[in-house]
Amino acid sequence: MEHTTSPECVEPGWGKVADVFHANFEGDGEIGAACSVYVGGRPVINLWRGLADREANLPWRADTVIQVASTTKGATAICAHLLVQRGLLDLDAPVTRYWPEFGANGKEHIKVRWLLSHQAGLPIVDGPLTFAEACAWDPVIRALEAQRPLWTPGTEHVYHAVTYGFLVGELVRRITGKSLGTFFAEEVARPLGLSAWIGLPEEHEQRVSKLHYAAPFSVPELIAGMVQLTGLDEDTVTAWVNALYSPDSVQMKAGSLGGALDNTTDYFTTRAWRAAEFPAANMVADAHSLARMYAATVSEVDGTRLLNPATVEQMSVVHTDKTRMHGLPPELNIPADRSFYMSLGFMRAARIMPLSGPGAFGHPGSGGSIGFGDPDAEVGFGYVTNLWNFRPDDPRAVKLATAVRACLG
C-alpha cells in the first residue's frame, strides 16, 4: 500500500476530542499539530491545524510529518513482537542466542525481555562516540558489545533513552538480516500505507515540520509539575529529581550516547540525523500513521492486523513494578505507576499517563507526541506537535486522551 494522506474527519459523537484539539491552540500555545483516533479499525478523528513553520508562515498540511522522538520506541517494540509472534524471537532466551558477540563483559545471561523493559543495565555507552559513528550504526553496536552493565541485569531498571533502539534494532537485524528501519518499512508501514519512517527518505524532507520550542523552565517548576503529575510529596520528588537529573546522573548521560549526541550542536535538526536509523528516537511520522499503526495492533485495519490478542496481552505485562529504579538513594522508593510503568517496550496506562483506559499501552516522545493502543476499546491514537514542551506536566496529550475516554463513554 502506498503512503496516503487521510481526509479530515470528526465522526458523530467525537466532537469533544475536536474541541480539546482546537482549545490547545488557544490555551496552551499550540503552533502546529495533528490528532487522529481510530476505533474498531476505522478513523473517527483526523485533524490538523496551525503552522508547520511559524517564521515562514507555512501552514500545517494533510501531508505534514514531524519528528516524534521516543514515540519511535513503540514502533520498534511492535517490530520485535512481530518476530515473537512468528516464533523467531524468544523473550526468555539470552540475547546471545541471536547476537553472540553481545555476551562480553558480564552480559551472557541477559534475556531478551530485559532489553525491551529497560532492565539490561545498558542505558549508556562509555564511548567516546562521534555523531557520524552513531549514524553509521556498527560503531554503536561494537561499543554495546564491549560495555559492562551498570547493575546486575534483571534486578533494576532505568530508561535506556537511546541505547534501547540499538539493542532491539540489532536483535531484529540479526534475526531478519534487515535493519530496523527497513523491517519497519516492509512489515508495518507499507502494509498499512503509513507516512512513518525510521530513516527518512530524502524525497520526503520537504514535508517535515520545523520544530519550535516552548519556554524553558526552572528546577522548582519541574518539581512542582512532577508533584502534580505523580501525586507524590515534594520532598520525595525533590530527592528523585536530584538523583536522576543532576548533570552527572546516569539518566542524563543516557541521552548523549557516549558523547555522540550533543545538544549544543543542534544535530536534531539535520538531514544526517533524519536519514540515519535511531530506533529509539528519530521516527518521522504524522498523527494519522501513529493512530493507524496502533489500531492495527488491537483490531483489523483495512484487512491488516499486526499483532494477535495473545501477543498484545503478553507484551503488555508491566515489568518495572518488579525491580527498583537504578540511581535512587536507598531510602527512596518511587512506585512504578508514578514514575516508569513499562511493559515489554511500551508504557502502560497509569496516573502519570492515563491514556484511554487501564488496558492501554503506547509510548510518548520528548516534546509532546504520543501514540497508543487500547485493546479493550479497540482504539488507536496519535498526536504530534511542533511546539516541543519538555515539562512533565504538559497537558495537551493528556487532555486529548481524557476526551477520548469521555467519548467512549
Coordinates of all heavy atoms in Angstrom, one line a residue, residues 52-140:
A52 N 3.3 24.8 10.1 CA 4.4 23.9 10.1 C 5.7 24.6 10.3 O 6.7 24.1 10.8 CB 4.4 23.1 8.8
D53 N 5.7 25.9 10.0 CA 6.9 26.7 10.2 C 6.4 28.1 10.5 O 5.9 28.8 9.6 CB 7.8 26.7 8.9 CG 9.1 27.5 9.1 OD1 9.1 28.5 9.9 OD2 10.0 27.2 8.4
R54 N 6.5 28.6 11.7 CA 5.9 29.8 12.1 C 6.6 31.0 11.5 O 6.0 32.0 11.0 CB 6.0 30.0 13.7 CG 5.4 31.3 14.2 CD 5.2 31.2 15.7 NE 6.5 30.9 16.4 CZ 6.6 30.7 17.7 NH1 5.5 30.7 18.5 NH2 7.7 30.3 18.3
E55 N 8.0 30.9 11.4 CA 8.7 32.0 10.8 C 8.4 32.2 9.3 O 8.3 33.4 8.9 CB 10.2 31.8 11.0 CG 10.7 32.0 12.4 CD 10.3 31.0 13.4 OE1 10.1 29.8 13.0 OE2 10.1 31.3 14.6
A56 N 8.2 31.1 8.6 CA 7.9 31.2 7.2 C 6.4 31.3 6.9 O 6.0 31.4 5.8 CB 8.5 30.0 6.5
N57 N 5.6 31.2 8.0 CA 4.2 31.2 7.8 C 3.6 30.1 6.9 O 2.7 30.3 6.1 CB 3.7 32.6 7.3 CG 2.2 32.9 7.6 OD1 1.7 32.5 8.7 ND2 1.5 33.5 6.7
L58 N 4.2 29.0 7.0 CA 3.8 27.8 6.2 C 2.8 27.0 7.0 O 3.0 26.6 8.1 CB 5.0 26.9 5.9 CG 6.1 27.5 5.0 CD1 7.2 26.5 4.8 CD2 5.5 27.9 3.6
P59 N 1.6 26.7 6.4 CA 0.6 26.0 7.1 C 0.9 24.5 7.3 O 1.6 23.9 6.5 CB -0.6 26.2 6.2 CG -0.1 26.3 4.8 CD 1.2 27.1 5.0
W60 N 0.3 24.0 8.3 CA 0.4 22.5 8.5 C -0.6 21.9 7.6 O -1.8 22.3 7.5 CB 0.0 22.2 10.0 CG 0.2 20.8 10.4 CD1 -0.4 19.6 9.9 CD2 1.2 20.3 11.3 NE1 0.1 18.5 10.5 CE2 1.1 18.9 11.4 CE3 2.2 21.0 12.1 CZ2 1.9 18.1 12.2 CZ3 3.0 20.2 12.9 CH2 2.9 18.8 13.0
R61 N -0.2 20.9 6.8 CA -1.0 20.4 5.7 C -1.3 18.9 6.0 O -0.8 18.3 7.0 CB -0.2 20.4 4.4 CG 0.1 21.8 3.9 CD 1.3 21.9 2.9 NE 1.2 20.8 1.9 CZ 0.8 21.0 0.7 NH1 0.3 22.2 0.3 NH2 0.7 20.0 -0.1
A62 N -2.2 18.4 5.2 CA -2.5 16.9 5.4 C -1.3 16.0 5.3 O -1.3 15.0 6.0 CB -3.6 16.5 4.3
D63 N -0.3 16.4 4.6 CA 0.9 15.5 4.4 C 2.1 16.0 5.2 O 3.2 15.4 5.1 CB 1.3 15.4 2.9 CG 1.8 16.7 2.4 OD1 1.6 17.8 3.0 OD2 2.4 16.7 1.3
T64 N 1.9 16.9 6.2 CA 3.0 17.3 7.1 C 3.4 16.2 8.0 O 2.5 15.5 8.6 CB 2.6 18.6 7.9 OG1 2.3 19.6 7.0 CG2 3.7 19.0 8.8
V65 N 4.6 16.0 8.2 CA 5.2 15.0 9.1 C 6.2 15.7 10.0 O 6.6 16.8 9.8 CB 5.8 13.8 8.4 CG1 4.8 13.0 7.6 CG2 7.0 14.3 7.5
I66 N 6.5 15.0 11.1 CA 7.4 15.6 12.1 C 8.1 14.5 12.9 O 7.6 13.4 13.0 CB 6.6 16.5 13.1 CG1 7.5 17.4 14.0 CG2 5.6 15.7 13.9 CD1 6.8 18.5 14.7
Q67 N 9.3 14.9 13.4 CA 10.0 14.0 14.3 C 9.2 13.8 15.6 O 8.7 14.7 16.2 CB 11.4 14.6 14.6 CG 12.2 14.8 13.4 CD 13.6 15.4 13.7 OE1 14.4 14.7 14.1 NE2 13.7 16.7 13.5
V68 N 9.1 12.5 16.0 CA 8.3 12.2 17.2 C 9.1 11.6 18.4 O 8.6 11.1 19.3 CB 7.2 11.2 16.8 CG1 6.2 11.9 15.8 CG2 7.7 9.9 16.3
A69 N 10.5 11.8 18.3 CA 11.3 11.4 19.4 C 11.1 10.0 19.9 O 11.0 9.1 19.1 CB 11.2 12.5 20.5
S70 N 10.9 9.8 21.2 CA 10.8 8.5 21.8 C 9.5 7.8 21.5 O 9.3 6.6 21.8 CB 11.0 8.5 23.3 OG 12.4 8.7 23.5
T71 N 8.5 8.5 20.9 CA 7.4 7.8 20.4 C 7.8 6.7 19.4 O 7.1 5.7 19.2 CB 6.4 8.8 19.7 OG1 6.1 9.8 20.6 CG2 5.1 8.1 19.2
T72 N 9.0 6.8 18.8 CA 9.6 5.8 18.0 C 9.7 4.5 18.7 O 9.6 3.4 18.0 CB 11.1 6.3 17.6 OG1 11.0 7.6 17.1 CG2 11.7 5.4 16.6
K73 N 10.0 4.5 20.0 CA 10.2 3.2 20.7 C 9.0 2.3 20.6 O 9.2 1.0 20.6 CB 10.5 3.5 22.2 CG 11.9 4.2 22.4 CD 12.1 4.4 23.9 CE 13.5 4.9 24.2 NZ 13.7 6.3 23.8
G74 N 7.8 2.8 20.5 CA 6.7 1.9 20.4 C 6.7 1.2 19.1 O 6.3 0.0 19.0
A75 N 7.1 1.9 18.0 CA 7.1 1.3 16.7 C 8.2 0.2 16.7 O 8.0 -0.9 16.1 CB 7.4 2.3 15.6
T76 N 9.3 0.5 17.3 CA 10.4 -0.5 17.4 C 10.0 -1.8 18.2 O 10.2 -2.9 17.8 CB 11.6 0.1 18.0 OG1 12.1 1.2 17.2 CG2 12.8 -0.9 18.3
A77 N 9.2 -1.5 19.3 CA 8.7 -2.7 20.0 C 7.7 -3.5 19.2 O 7.7 -4.7 19.3 CB 8.0 -2.2 21.3
I78 N 6.9 -2.9 18.4 CA 6.0 -3.6 17.6 C 6.7 -4.5 16.6 O 6.4 -5.7 16.4 CB 5.1 -2.6 16.8 CG1 4.0 -2.0 17.7 CG2 4.3 -3.4 15.6 CD1 3.3 -0.9 17.1
C79 N 7.8 -4.1 16.1 CA 8.7 -4.9 15.2 C 9.2 -6.1 16.0 O 9.2 -7.2 15.4 CB 9.8 -4.1 14.7 SG 9.4 -2.8 13.5
A80 N 9.7 -5.9 17.2 CA 10.2 -7.0 17.9 C 9.1 -8.0 18.2 O 9.3 -9.3 18.1 CB 10.8 -6.5 19.3
H81 N 7.9 -7.6 18.6 CA 6.8 -8.5 18.9 C 6.2 -9.2 17.7 O 5.7 -10.3 17.8 CB 5.7 -7.8 19.7 CG 6.2 -7.4 21.1 ND1 6.4 -8.4 22.1 CD2 6.5 -6.3 21.7 CE1 6.8 -7.8 23.2 NE2 6.9 -6.5 23.0
L82 N 6.4 -8.6 16.5 CA 6.1 -9.4 15.3 C 7.0 -10.6 15.2 O 6.5 -11.7 14.8 CB 6.3 -8.5 14.1 CG 5.1 -7.5 13.7 CD1 5.6 -6.5 12.6 CD2 3.9 -8.3 13.2
L83 N 8.2 -10.5 15.5 CA 9.1 -11.6 15.5 C 8.8 -12.6 16.6 O 8.9 -13.8 16.4 CB 10.6 -11.1 15.6 CG 11.1 -10.2 14.5 CD1 12.6 -9.9 14.7 CD2 11.0 -11.0 13.1
V84 N 8.4 -12.1 17.8 CA 8.0 -13.0 18.8 C 6.8 -13.8 18.4 O 6.7 -15.1 18.5 CB 7.7 -12.2 20.1 CG1 7.1 -13.2 21.2 CG2 8.9 -11.6 20.7
Q85 N 5.8 -13.1 17.8 CA 4.6 -13.8 17.3 C 4.9 -14.8 16.2 O 4.2 -15.9 16.2 CB 3.7 -12.7 16.7 CG 2.3 -13.1 16.3 CD 1.4 -11.9 16.0 OE1 0.8 -11.4 16.9 NE2 1.4 -11.5 14.8
R86 N 5.9 -14.6 15.4 CA 6.2 -15.6 14.4 C 7.1 -16.7 14.9 O 7.6 -17.6 14.1 CB 6.9 -14.8 13.2 CG 6.0 -13.8 12.5 CD 6.8 -12.9 11.6 NE 5.9 -11.9 11.0 CZ 6.2 -10.9 10.2 NH1 7.5 -10.8 9.9 NH2 5.4 -10.0 9.8
G87 N 7.5 -16.7 16.2 CA 8.3 -17.8 16.7 C 9.8 -17.6 16.4 O 10.6 -18.5 16.6
L88 N 10.2 -16.4 16.0 CA 11.6 -16.2 15.6 C 12.4 -15.5 16.8 O 13.6 -15.5 16.7 CB 11.6 -15.3 14.4 CG 11.0 -15.8 13.1 CD1 11.0 -14.8 12.0 CD2 11.7 -17.1 12.7
L89 N 11.7 -15.0 17.8 CA 12.3 -14.4 18.9 C 11.7 -14.9 20.2 O 10.5 -14.8 20.4 CB 12.2 -12.9 18.8 CG 12.8 -12.0 19.9 CD1 14.3 -12.2 19.9 CD2 12.5 -10.5 19.6
D90 N 12.5 -15.4 21.1 CA 12.1 -15.9 22.4 C 12.4 -14.9 23.5 O 13.6 -14.5 23.7 CB 12.8 -17.2 22.7 CG 12.3 -17.9 24.0 OD1 11.7 -17.2 24.8 OD2 12.6 -19.1 24.1
L91 N 11.4 -14.4 24.1 CA 11.6 -13.4 25.1 C 12.4 -13.8 26.3 O 13.1 -13.0 26.9 CB 10.2 -12.9 25.7 CG 9.3 -12.1 24.7 CD1 7.9 -12.0 25.3 CD2 9.9 -10.8 24.4
D92 N 12.4 -15.1 26.6 CA 13.2 -15.6 27.7 C 14.6 -16.2 27.3 O 15.3 -16.7 28.2 CB 12.4 -16.6 28.5 CG 11.3 -16.0 29.3 OD1 11.6 -15.0 30.0 OD2 10.1 -16.4 29.2
A93 N 14.9 -16.1 26.0 CA 16.2 -16.6 25.6 C 17.3 -15.5 25.9 O 17.0 -14.3 26.0 CB 16.2 -16.8 24.1
P94 N 18.5 -16.0 26.1 CA 19.6 -15.0 26.2 C 19.8 -14.3 24.9 O 19.6 -14.8 23.8 CB 20.8 -15.8 26.6 CG 20.5 -17.2 26.1 CD 19.0 -17.4 26.2
V95 N 20.1 -13.0 25.0 CA 20.3 -12.2 23.8 C 21.4 -12.9 22.9 O 21.4 -12.8 21.7 CB 20.7 -10.8 24.1 CG1 21.1 -10.0 22.9 CG2 19.6 -10.1 24.9
T96 N 22.3 -13.5 23.5 CA 23.5 -14.2 22.8 C 23.0 -15.3 21.9 O 23.8 -15.6 21.0 CB 24.5 -14.7 23.8 OG1 23.8 -15.6 24.7 CG2 25.2 -13.6 24.5
R97 N 21.8 -15.8 22.0 CA 21.3 -16.8 21.1 C 21.3 -16.2 19.7 O 21.5 -16.9 18.7 CB 19.9 -17.3 21.5 CG 19.3 -18.3 20.5 CD 17.9 -18.7 20.9 NE 17.9 -19.5 22.1 CZ 16.8 -20.0 22.7 NH1 15.6 -19.8 22.1 NH2 16.9 -20.6 23.8
Y98 N 20.9 -14.9 19.6 CA 20.8 -14.3 18.3 C 22.0 -13.4 18.0 O 22.2 -13.1 16.8 CB 19.5 -13.4 18.3 CG 18.3 -14.2 18.9 CD1 17.9 -14.0 20.2 CD2 17.6 -15.1 18.1 CE1 16.8 -14.7 20.7 CE2 16.6 -15.8 18.6 CZ 16.2 -15.6 19.9 OH 15.1 -16.3 20.4
W99 N 22.7 -12.9 19.0 CA 23.8 -12.0 18.8 C 24.9 -12.4 19.7 O 25.1 -11.9 20.8 CB 23.2 -10.6 19.2 CG 24.1 -9.4 19.3 CD1 25.4 -9.3 18.9 CD2 23.7 -8.1 19.7 NE1 25.9 -8.1 19.1 CE2 24.9 -7.3 19.6 CE3 22.6 -7.6 20.3 CZ2 24.9 -5.9 20.0 CZ3 22.6 -6.2 20.6 CH2 23.7 -5.4 20.5
P100 N 25.7 -13.4 19.3 CA 26.7 -14.0 20.2 C 27.7 -13.0 20.8 O 28.1 -13.1 22.0 CB 27.4 -15.0 19.3 CG 26.4 -15.3 18.2 CD 25.6 -14.0 18.0
E101 N 28.1 -12.0 20.0 CA 29.2 -11.1 20.5 C 28.7 -10.2 21.6 O 29.5 -9.6 22.3 CB 29.6 -10.2 19.3 CG 30.2 -10.9 18.1 CD 29.1 -11.3 17.1 OE1 27.9 -11.4 17.5 OE2 29.5 -11.5 15.9
F102 N 27.4 -10.1 21.8 CA 26.8 -9.3 22.9 C 27.2 -9.8 24.3 O 27.2 -9.0 25.2 CB 25.3 -9.4 22.8 CG 24.5 -8.6 23.8 CD1 24.4 -7.2 23.8 CD2 23.9 -9.3 24.9 CE1 23.7 -6.5 24.8 CE2 23.2 -8.6 25.9 CZ 23.1 -7.2 25.8
G103 N 27.6 -11.0 24.4 CA 27.8 -11.6 25.7 C 29.0 -11.2 26.5 O 29.2 -11.6 27.7
A104 N 29.9 -10.4 25.9 CA 31.1 -10.0 26.6 C 30.8 -9.1 27.8 O 29.8 -8.5 28.0 CB 32.0 -9.2 25.6
N105 N 31.8 -9.2 28.8 CA 31.8 -8.3 30.0 C 30.5 -8.5 30.8 O 29.9 -7.5 31.3 CB 31.9 -6.8 29.5 CG 33.4 -6.3 29.7 OD1 34.1 -6.9 30.5 ND2 33.7 -5.4 28.8
G106 N 30.1 -9.7 31.1 CA 29.1 -10.0 32.0 C 27.7 -9.9 31.5 O 26.7 -9.7 32.2
K107 N 27.5 -10.0 30.1 CA 26.2 -9.8 29.5 C 25.7 -11.2 29.0 O 24.6 -11.2 28.3 CB 26.2 -8.8 28.4 CG 26.7 -7.4 28.9 CD 26.4 -6.3 27.9 CE 27.2 -6.5 26.6 NZ 28.6 -6.5 26.7
E108 N 26.3 -12.3 29.3 CA 26.0 -13.5 28.6 C 24.6 -14.0 29.0 O 24.0 -14.8 28.3 CB 27.0 -14.6 28.9 CG 27.2 -15.0 30.3 CD 28.2 -14.1 31.1 OE1 28.6 -13.0 30.6 OE2 28.6 -14.5 32.2
H109 N 24.1 -13.6 30.2 CA 22.8 -14.1 30.7 C 21.7 -13.1 30.5 O 20.5 -13.4 31.0 CB 22.9 -14.5 32.1 CG 24.0 -15.6 32.4 ND1 23.9 -16.8 31.7 CD2 25.1 -15.6 33.2 CE1 25.0 -17.5 32.1 NE2 25.7 -16.8 33.0
I110 N 21.9 -12.0 29.9 CA 20.8 -11.0 29.7 C 19.7 -11.6 28.8 O 20.0 -12.0 27.7 CB 21.4 -9.7 29.1 CG1 22.3 -9.0 30.2 CG2 20.2 -8.8 28.7 CD1 22.9 -7.7 29.7
K111 N 18.5 -11.5 29.3 CA 17.4 -12.0 28.5 C 16.8 -11.0 27.5 O 16.9 -9.8 27.8 CB 16.2 -12.4 29.4 CG 16.6 -13.6 30.4 CD 15.4 -13.9 31.2 CE 15.7 -15.1 32.2 NZ 14.5 -15.4 33.0
V112 N 16.2 -11.4 26.5 CA 15.6 -10.5 25.5 C 14.6 -9.6 26.2 O 14.6 -8.4 25.9 CB 14.9 -11.3 24.4 CG1 14.0 -10.4 23.5 CG2 15.9 -12.1 23.6
R113 N 13.8 -10.1 27.1 CA 12.8 -9.3 27.7 C 13.4 -8.1 28.5 O 12.7 -7.1 28.7 CB 11.8 -10.1 28.6 CG 12.4 -10.7 29.8 CD 11.2 -11.4 30.7 NE 10.6 -12.5 30.0 CZ 9.3 -12.5 29.7 NH1 8.5 -11.4 29.9 NH2 8.8 -13.5 29.1
W114 N 14.6 -8.3 29.0 CA 15.2 -7.2 29.8 C 15.6 -6.1 28.9 O 15.7 -4.9 29.3 CB 16.4 -7.7 30.6 CG 16.0 -8.8 31.6 CD1 14.8 -9.0 32.1 CD2 16.9 -9.7 32.3 NE1 14.8 -10.0 33.1 CE2 16.1 -10.4 33.2 CE3 18.3 -10.0 32.2 CZ2 16.6 -11.4 34.0 CZ3 18.8 -11.0 33.0 CH2 18.0 -11.7 33.9
L115 N 15.9 -6.4 27.6 CA 16.2 -5.3 26.7 C 14.9 -4.4 26.5 O 14.9 -3.2 26.5 CB 16.7 -5.8 25.3 CG 18.0 -6.6 25.2 CD1 18.3 -6.8 23.7 CD2 19.1 -5.9 26.0
L116 N 13.8 -5.1 26.3 CA 12.6 -4.5 26.0 C 12.0 -3.7 27.2 O 11.3 -2.7 27.0 CB 11.5 -5.5 25.5 CG 11.8 -6.0 24.0 CD1 11.0 -7.3 23.8 CD2 11.3 -5.0 23.0
S117 N 12.3 -4.1 28.4 CA 11.8 -3.5 29.6 C 12.8 -2.6 30.3 O 12.6 -2.3 31.5 CB 11.2 -4.6 30.5 OG 12.2 -5.5 30.8
H118 N 13.9 -2.3 29.6 CA 14.9 -1.3 30.2 C 15.5 -1.8 31.5 O 15.9 -1.0 32.3 CB 14.2 0.0 30.4 CG 13.7 0.7 29.1 ND1 14.2 1.7 28.5 CD2 12.6 0.4 28.4 CE1 13.5 2.1 27.5 NE2 12.5 1.2 27.4
Q119 N 15.8 -3.1 31.5 CA 16.4 -3.7 32.7 C 17.7 -4.4 32.5 O 18.3 -5.0 33.3 CB 15.4 -4.8 33.3 CG 14.1 -4.3 33.7 CD 13.2 -5.3 34.4 OE1 13.2 -5.5 35.6 NE2 12.5 -6.1 33.5
A120 N 18.3 -4.1 31.3 CA 19.5 -4.7 30.9 C 20.8 -4.1 31.5 O 21.9 -4.7 31.5 CB 19.7 -4.7 29.4
G121 N 20.7 -2.9 32.1 CA 21.8 -2.3 32.7 C 22.7 -1.6 31.7 O 23.9 -1.4 31.9
L122 N 22.2 -1.3 30.5 CA 23.0 -0.7 29.4 C 22.4 0.6 28.9 O 22.3 0.9 27.7 CB 23.1 -1.7 28.3 CG 23.7 -3.0 28.6 CD1 23.5 -4.0 27.5 CD2 25.2 -2.8 28.8
P123 N 22.0 1.6 29.8 CA 21.5 2.8 29.4 C 22.5 3.8 28.8 O 22.2 4.7 28.1 CB 20.9 3.4 30.6 CG 21.8 2.9 31.7 CD 22.1 1.5 31.3
I124 N 23.8 3.5 29.0 CA 24.9 4.4 28.5 C 25.9 3.5 27.8 O 26.0 2.3 28.0 CB 25.5 5.2 29.6 CG1 26.3 4.2 30.5 CG2 24.5 6.0 30.4 CD1 27.2 5.0 31.5
V125 N 26.7 4.1 26.9 CA 28.0 3.5 26.5 C 29.1 4.5 26.9 O 28.9 5.7 26.9 CB 28.0 3.3 24.9 CG1 27.0 2.2 24.5 CG2 27.6 4.6 24.2
D126 N 30.2 3.9 27.3 CA 31.3 4.7 27.8 C 31.9 5.6 26.7 O 32.4 6.7 27.0 CB 32.4 3.8 28.4 CG 31.9 3.1 29.7 OD1 31.0 3.7 30.4 OD2 32.3 2.0 29.9
G127 N 31.8 5.2 25.5 CA 32.4 6.0 24.4 C 33.9 6.1 24.4 O 34.5 5.2 25.0
P128 N 34.4 7.1 23.8 CA 33.7 8.2 23.1 C 33.2 7.8 21.8 O 33.9 7.0 21.1 CB 34.7 9.3 23.0 CG 36.0 8.6 22.9 CD 35.9 7.4 23.8
L129 N 32.0 8.3 21.4 CA 31.5 8.1 20.1 C 31.2 9.4 19.4 O 30.8 10.4 20.1 CB 30.2 7.3 20.1 CG 30.2 5.8 20.5 CD1 28.8 5.3 20.8 CD2 30.9 5.0 19.4
T130 N 31.4 9.5 18.1 CA 31.0 10.7 17.4 C 29.7 10.6 16.8 O 29.1 9.5 16.7 CB 32.0 11.0 16.2 OG1 31.9 9.9 15.3 CG2 33.5 11.0 16.8
F131 N 29.1 11.7 16.4 CA 27.8 11.7 15.7 C 27.8 10.9 14.5 O 26.9 10.1 14.2 CB 27.3 13.1 15.4 CG 26.0 13.2 14.7 CD1 24.9 12.8 15.3 CD2 25.9 13.7 13.4 CE1 23.6 12.9 14.7 CE2 24.7 13.8 12.8 CZ 23.6 13.4 13.4
A132 N 28.9 11.0 13.7 CA 29.0 10.2 12.5 C 29.0 8.7 12.8 O 28.4 7.9 12.0 CB 30.2 10.6 11.7
E133 N 29.7 8.3 13.8 CA 29.8 6.9 14.2 C 28.4 6.4 14.6 O 28.0 5.3 14.3 CB 30.8 6.7 15.3 CG 32.2 6.8 14.9 CD 33.2 6.8 16.0 OE1 32.9 7.3 17.1 OE2 34.3 6.3 15.8
A134 N 27.7 7.2 15.4 CA 26.3 6.8 15.8 C 25.4 6.6 14.6 O 24.6 5.7 14.5 CB 25.7 7.9 16.7
C135 N 25.5 7.5 13.6 CA 24.7 7.4 12.4 C 25.1 6.2 11.6 O 24.2 5.7 10.8 CB 24.9 8.7 11.5 SG 24.1 10.1 12.2
A136 N 26.3 5.7 11.7 CA 26.8 4.5 11.0 C 26.3 3.2 11.6 O 26.5 2.1 10.9 CB 28.3 4.6 10.9
W137 N 25.8 3.2 12.7 CA 25.2 2.0 13.4 C 26.3 1.1 14.0 O 26.3 0.9 15.2 CB 24.3 1.2 12.5 CG 23.5 0.1 13.2 CD1 23.9 -1.2 13.4 CD2 22.3 0.2 13.9 NE1 23.0 -1.9 14.1 CE2 22.0 -1.1 14.4 CE3 21.4 1.2 14.1 CZ2 20.8 -1.3 15.1 CZ3 20.2 1.0 14.8 CH2 19.9 -0.3 15.3
D138 N 27.1 0.5 13.2 CA 28.0 -0.6 13.7 C 28.9 -0.1 14.8 O 29.2 -0.9 15.8 CB 28.8 -1.1 12.6 CG 28.1 -2.1 11.7 OD1 27.0 -2.6 12.2 OD2 28.5 -2.5 10.6
P139 N 29.5 1.1 14.8 CA 30.3 1.5 16.0 C 29.5 1.5 17.3 O 30.1 1.2 18.3 CB 30.7 3.0 15.6 CG 30.7 3.0 14.1 CD 29.5 2.1 13.7
V140 N 28.3 1.8 17.3 CA 27.5 1.8 18.5 C 27.3 0.3 18.9 O 27.4 0.0 20.1 CB 26.1 2.4 18.3 CG1 25.3 2.4 19.6 CG2 26.2 3.9 17.9

